[in-house]
Amino acid sequence: MEQPVIKPRVRPPVWSEELRATLTLAWPLILSNLTFALIQATDVVLMGWLGPQQLAASALGINLTWPLGFAAFGILTAASPMMATALGAKAHSVRDVRRSFRQSMWLAVMAALPLWLMLWHAETIILALGQQPDLARDAAIFLRGYMWTMLPWLLFQAMRNFLAAVERPGWVLAISAVGIFANALLGWALIFGRFGLPAMGIFGGGLASSIVWTGIALALAAVILTDRQFRRFHLFGHFWRPDWPRLGRMLRLGIPIGFAFAFEGAVFGAAAYLMGLIDAASVAAHAVALQIAALTFMVPWGLSQAATVRVGRALGAGDVDGLGRAGWIAWSLGVLFMAAMAAVMWAVPRDLVGFFLDDTPANARVIDLAVTFLVVAAAFQIFDGAQVVGAGMLRGLHDTRMPMLFALLGYWVIGIGAGAWLAFERGWDGVGIWTGLAIGLGIVSALMLGRWALRERFELVRTRGAG
């Protein structure tokens, strides 16, 4: 009897496998990033209800937190490729993962102390930066409530890096989503005096964020302590035991990341302060346009975080082809998404601004400026997506020093320099500042992509141990 022909099982293409793995890891990270941005967006909306003056002051306050806050966040980010590479080399690498996690928590505590000291003296700093006295006063009042977010926010990021490295970020999304509604409700109550609470105005908005971020960090810690899939790492065991070699390695890898993040975060903060040299309406409009751009940025940022993990795991496993696939897929997804968002910003800028500001005579000039800024922001969407995913790809290779220099050159030498020149020498005002930001992002994205494309020539793909 004729035997049936057994067809060999066709294995799915490795590119589709990597696409599936990247999307599976990235979508909870993207949505949790969006929840983080939406928490800040609720602050912007609530301050807009108070008035343009309060919106401008809170924007100056938040922008003051960015340089050191993003620097600390960048240093903590070193734990992500370190944990991912350890797990790529050995799937059950509990001790190496725990060492990196523990020291990232140490760094969060160490970074919060100077941040608190700086923000406590915010009014003096803001006045020294040439801002109007009434804006500096109100910004300092806001920060007296908001400054306490820094420690729980950094601790949350350290825990989130662990969940991303083990490719289980779902809890981050769930807890962050609850935080959106909690921040909106508590902020509304404390600002305007609802549910029997006192009306604290601009200070209440900052205090609400501090309370909510503390709750978010405690909730994520509780999940890590109680969930079976995480308990085996014993992450909080012997928490106070020093691990100086691991701390030193994390600083060597993380300090360049921290500087790169600080350069990027501070350039937008500097843009806000340059707007303050024009007028309060420009600051408020900048805050709205930047918040909209920040919401779209959360998607490529999530893809960047996924790229760091996927490239890092392939690096630890010695899979050179696999890390290339991981990087290019994340980069392509990020650029395509931001191209779509650029089209939306070009098409309906006034509708987008309308989500943040009511169309009233008091807000008319702020709305017109925000619409103009948003049209310029549309132009740099693609560059912004390309540079952030490119940086994540290179972090997966433990390559952090050259991206730091790229950020310094692109954002500060070219971007803010061109923006200030266009604004004050050529008379472009706020449009000039935003144009400079777009030029800087374009330079950085090109440099990041070029370094990734030449990764083998620069010997960035040699396998590395967990250390």
Side-chain angles (χ1 to χ4, degrees):
M1 185 174 73
E2 184 177 354
Q3 297 293 321
V5 176
I6 301 176
K7 296 182 179 180
R9 183 179 178 182
V10 178
R11 188 175 182 274
V14 289
W15 282 90
S16 64
E17 290 179 354
E18 183 57 45
L19 175 63
R20 188 181 304 110
T22 297
L23 290 174
T24 300
L25 175 58
W27 76 262
L29 294 173
I30 290 168
L31 292 177
S32 66
N33 288 342
L34 284 169
T35 59
F36 166 65
L38 287 169
I39 288 173
Q40 282 205 331
T42 58
D43 291 335
V44 172
V45 170
L46 292 171
M47 293 303 164
W49 290 354
L50 277 176
Q53 170 80 14
Q54 291 82 358
L55 175 58
S58 63
L60 290 179
I62 289 176
N63 278 277
L64 189 63
T65 69
W66 284 2
L68 285 180
F70 276 98
F73 173 55
I75 295 172
L76 299 183
T77 300
S80 183
M82 290 171 67
M83 290 186 286
T85 303
L87 290 167
K90 183 181 178 182
H92 301 290
S93 185
V94 170
R95 182 172 178 273
D96 269 324
V97 169
R98 182 169 60 244
R99 290 176 66 194
S100 296
F101 174 82
R102 183 188 299 155
Q103 295 314 299
S104 70
M105 297 288 278
W106 275 43
L107 287 171
V109 176
M110 293 164 62
L113 300 177
L115 275 168
W116 284 338
L117 180 63
M118 180 191 75
L119 297 177
W120 189 260
H121 297 92
E123 185 172 3
T124 301
I125 297 171
I126 294 172
L127 284 172
L129 293 171
Q131 303 304 302
Q132 300 172 24
D134 56 340
L135 286 179
R137 181 197 64 239
D138 289 348
I141 293 171
F142 171 78
L143 285 173
R144 286 295 172 94
Y146 185 84
M147 60 184 284
W148 311 109
T149 63
M150 302 315 298
L151 178 59
W153 179 70
L154 288 171
L155 293 173
F156 177 85
Q157 301 305 326
M159 291 183 281
R160 173 182 143 131
N161 285 336
F162 160 73
L163 294 175
V166 297
E167 301 188 342
R168 296 292 186 276
W171 274 110
V172 177
L173 169 61
I175 293 170
S176 300
V178 174
I180 298 173
F181 299 102
N183 190 68
L185 189 63
L186 186 59
W188 177 69
L190 289 176
I191 290 171
F192 299 104
R194 301 292 189 266
F195 307 123
L197 296 173
M200 297 182 180
I202 194 170
F203 172 81
L207 181 61
S209 294
S210 293
I211 294 170
V212 168
W213 273 109
T214 300
I216 288 173
L218 289 173
L220 192 57
V223 167
I224 290 174
L225 285 169
T226 57
D227 194 293
R228 284 177 52 189
Q229 61 183 332
F230 307 136
R231 281 205 310 262
R232 68 186 180 90
F233 289 93
H234 303 289
L235 292 179
F236 296 103
H238 304 292
F239 183 78
W240 299 109
R241 180 181 296 173
D243 187 346
W244 304 119
R246 182 53 56 102
L247 182 64
R249 182 166 182 263
M250 188 171 293
L251 287 171
R252 287 192 297 274
L253 182 63
I255 285 176
I257 302 175
F259 273 111
F261 279 23
F263 292 149
E264 182 176 0
V267 79
F268 289 101
Y273 281 85
L274 289 175
M275 294 289 183
L277 300 178
I278 301 171
D279 54 30
S282 295
V283 180
H286 174 78
V288 172
L290 186 60
Q291 189 61 62
I292 294 170
L295 287 170
T296 64
F297 178 77
M298 295 302 109
V299 174
W301 188 19
L303 289 164
S304 172
Q305 293 163 324
T308 297
V309 172
R310 295 298 302 168
V311 171
R313 285 204 166 209
L315 183 70
D319 184 359
V320 175
D321 292 337
L323 67 86
R325 287 191 296 271
W328 284 119
I329 284 176
W331 187 87
S332 300
L333 291 171
V335 170
L336 286 172
F337 175 82
M338 291 301 263
M341 291 302 98
V344 173
M345 287 184 184
W346 274 99
V348 289
R350 188 168 291 273
D351 293 331
L352 295 174
V353 173
F355 285 111
F356 293 86
L357 292 171
D358 293 331
D359 192 1
T360 63
N363 290 332
R365 184 162 182 268
V366 176
I367 291 172
D368 289 342
L369 286 171
V371 168
T372 303
F373 296 163
L374 203 59
V375 171
V376 181
F380 72 60
Q381 288 291 288
I382 297 174
F383 296 145
D384 208 7
Q387 68 83 19
V388 70
V389 181
M393 292 148 57
L394 292 172
R395 278 196 297 274
L397 298 177
H398 298 208
D399 180 37
T400 60
R401 289 183 179 86
M402 288 305 297
M404 174 190 70
L405 297 177
F406 295 161
L408 175 62
L409 172 66
Y411 299 138
W412 285 93
V413 177
I414 298 174
I416 206 69
W421 179 75
L422 289 170
F424 300 109
E425 294 295 326
R426 306 301 298 172
W428 290 22
D429 292 334
V431 173
I433 294 170
W434 275 80
T435 302
L437 294 176
I439 294 170
L441 286 167
I443 296 295
V444 175
S445 64
L447 292 171
M448 294 287 191
L449 182 61
R451 187 160 176 84
W452 169 261
L454 299 174
R455 60 192 179 278
E456 294 188 16
R457 180 178 299 179
F458 291 125
E459 298 184 337
L460 302 179
V461 296
R462 291 180 297 179
T463 56
R464 305 166 186 260

Short mmCIF file of all heavy atoms in Angstrom, two decimals, residues 162 257 327 350 364 366 391 437 448 453:
data_model
loop_
_atom_site.label_atom_id
_atom_site.label_comp_id
_atom_site.label_asym_id
_atom_site.label_seq_id
_atom_site.Cartn_x
_atom_site.Cartn_y
_atom_site.Cartn_z
N PHE A 162 12.96 45.82 35.45
CA PHE A 162 13.02 44.38 35.71
C PHE A 162 11.90 43.65 34.97
O PHE A 162 12.15 42.62 34.30
CB PHE A 162 12.90 44.12 37.21
CG PHE A 162 12.48 42.71 37.55
CD1 PHE A 162 13.38 41.66 37.39
CD2 PHE A 162 11.20 42.44 37.99
CE1 PHE A 162 12.99 40.35 37.68
CE2 PHE A 162 10.81 41.14 38.29
CZ PHE A 162 11.71 40.09 38.13
N ILE A 257 24.22 57.08 29.59
CA ILE A 257 22.79 57.09 29.29
C ILE A 257 22.12 58.25 30.02
O ILE A 257 21.29 58.97 29.47
CB ILE A 257 22.12 55.75 29.70
CG1 ILE A 257 22.78 54.57 29.01
CG2 ILE A 257 20.63 55.79 29.39
CD1 ILE A 257 22.24 53.22 29.46
N GLY A 327 16.63 44.97 16.13
CA GLY A 327 16.79 46.41 16.00
C GLY A 327 16.02 47.00 14.84
O GLY A 327 15.30 48.00 14.99
N ARG A 350 -5.53 72.35 15.49
CA ARG A 350 -6.41 73.08 16.41
C ARG A 350 -7.31 72.14 17.20
O ARG A 350 -7.61 72.39 18.38
CB ARG A 350 -7.26 74.10 15.62
CG ARG A 350 -8.06 75.04 16.49
CD ARG A 350 -8.63 76.19 15.67
NE ARG A 350 -7.57 77.09 15.21
CZ ARG A 350 -7.11 78.12 15.91
NH1 ARG A 350 -7.62 78.39 17.11
NH2 ARG A 350 -6.17 78.89 15.41
N ALA A 364 -7.24 82.68 23.71
CA ALA A 364 -7.15 82.78 22.24
C ALA A 364 -5.70 82.83 21.76
O ALA A 364 -5.32 82.10 20.84
CB ALA A 364 -7.91 84.01 21.75
N VAL A 366 -2.94 81.93 23.35
CA VAL A 366 -2.23 80.69 23.68
C VAL A 366 -2.59 79.60 22.67
O VAL A 366 -1.72 78.85 22.20
CB VAL A 366 -2.57 80.24 25.12
CG1 VAL A 366 -1.91 78.89 25.42
CG2 VAL A 366 -2.11 81.28 26.13
N ALA A 391 18.56 54.90 19.79
CA ALA A 391 19.28 54.89 21.06
C ALA A 391 19.01 53.60 21.83
O ALA A 391 19.91 53.02 22.45
CB ALA A 391 18.87 56.10 21.90
N LEU A 437 14.66 72.81 17.65
CA LEU A 437 14.48 71.47 18.21
C LEU A 437 14.37 70.43 17.09
O LEU A 437 14.95 69.33 17.19
CB LEU A 437 13.22 71.43 19.09
CG LEU A 437 13.23 72.27 20.37
CD1 LEU A 437 11.87 72.20 21.06
CD2 LEU A 437 14.33 71.82 21.31
N MET A 448 22.56 58.31 15.13
CA MET A 448 22.21 57.04 15.77
C MET A 448 22.06 55.94 14.71
O MET A 448 22.58 54.82 14.87
CB MET A 448 20.89 57.17 16.54
CG MET A 448 20.93 58.10 17.73
SD MET A 448 21.84 57.43 19.13
CE MET A 448 21.37 58.65 20.39
N ALA A 453 23.97 51.06 11.81
CA ALA A 453 24.23 50.42 10.52
C ALA A 453 25.67 49.93 10.43
O ALA A 453 25.95 48.93 9.76
CB ALA A 453 23.91 51.38 9.39
#
